[in-house]
Amino acid sequence: MISLRMVGTEVSALSAAALSMPLRFVLEHECFDPTASQPPLVFVHGFFGDPTNFLLLRRYLVSRGIRTFTSFSYGPRIDYQRLACRLGDVIETVCLATGAAEVDVVGHSLGGLVARYLVEMTPSSRIRRLVTLGAPYFAQPLPVQELAIFAGPDLFIPPPHPLYGPCSRYRAERVVVVPECGYWGLLYHRDVLRETAGFLCARGGELPAAPLALEAAS
């Protein structure tokens, strides 16, 4: 059910994304901190997106100790297989530049699909943890290192069905559905910021479980 509140927050989120785009000319796209304890983070925007889409999320993650990051950007295109190869090259470059063995990735929409395909195509990829925001999905199970966050009433990428979707039979998967949130709102919603930071910053070898249950499809 799409509420007036959700429509209002989605319009606000889209306006924020549009108004922030001029900042791309002054935005620091790379920040390498050799003293950082967290792995480097790579942001991957969506179709017709821009690195500035992650400004609020980036600021939030910096406040929680993630201080090494870069952005993978591309022009409007949908050949996610080739984009995944380019993303893999960027990740290798980041690892060489920072001396890190692995990176974390946050991808919105098509950007999440690109990163997920890289993980599936290259099991030995350097992606330690992956957070996807409203990323398209298919029948195969999601990678075990992925936290998939969806907007409950998203008209573009609806959340997977809790019984028949790609996450129904695999307890290792992590799926979060955020109510009262839309496609663009995933970039700004407080629950998305909190869950992304918690997943990326969790200590130890065990990946944290998603705290929010998957909603049943209507």
Side-chain angles (χ1 to χ4, degrees), residues 46-47 49 70 80 100 102 116 132 148 155 164 182 190 201 204 206 213 217:
F47 187 74
T70 189
Y80 62 90
E102 297 176 304
R116 182 189 300 136
T132 59
L155 298 178
Y164 308 111
R190 63 181 182 277
C201 297
E206 292 295 327

Side-chain angles (χ1 to χ4, degrees), residues 160-176:
H161 193 283
L163 297 179
Y164 308 111
C167 62
S168 59
R169 294 167 296 173
Y170 300 88
R171 292 185 177 273
E173 293 177 353
R174 295 155 184 86
V175 176
V176 170

Side-chain angles (χ1 to χ4, degrees), residues 23-37:
L23 296 176
R24 66 186 306 179
F25 301 106
V26 296
L27 176 67
E28 186 180 24
H29 293 287
E30 293 184 345
C31 180
F32 292 162
D33 184 351
T35 66
S37 58

Side-chain angles (χ1 to χ4, degrees), residues 98-190:
T98 61
E102 297 176 304
V103 303
D104 292 334
V105 178
V106 175
H108 179 232
S109 191
L110 179 63
L113 177 61
V114 169
R116 182 189 300 136
Y117 184 79
L118 176 60
V119 172
E120 294 171 341
M121 180 180 63
T122 312
S124 59
S125 71
R126 292 178 178 265
I127 297 179
R128 183 190 71 131
R129 294 180 186 174
L130 167 63
V131 178
T132 59
L133 310 177
Y137 53 90
F138 303 107
Q140 65 266 30
L142 305 178
V144 294
Q145 67 263 55
E146 177 180 349
L147 172 66
I149 304 179
F150 296 93
D154 192 340
L155 298 178
F156 295 101
I157 308 296
H161 193 283
L163 297 179
Y164 308 111
C167 62
S168 59
R169 294 167 296 173
Y170 300 88
R171 292 185 177 273
E173 293 177 353
R174 295 155 184 86
V175 176
V176 170
V177 179
V178 182
E180 296 294 331
C181 180
Y183 174 83
W184 289 102
L186 287 169
L187 295 164
Y188 304 98
H189 198 284
R190 63 181 182 277

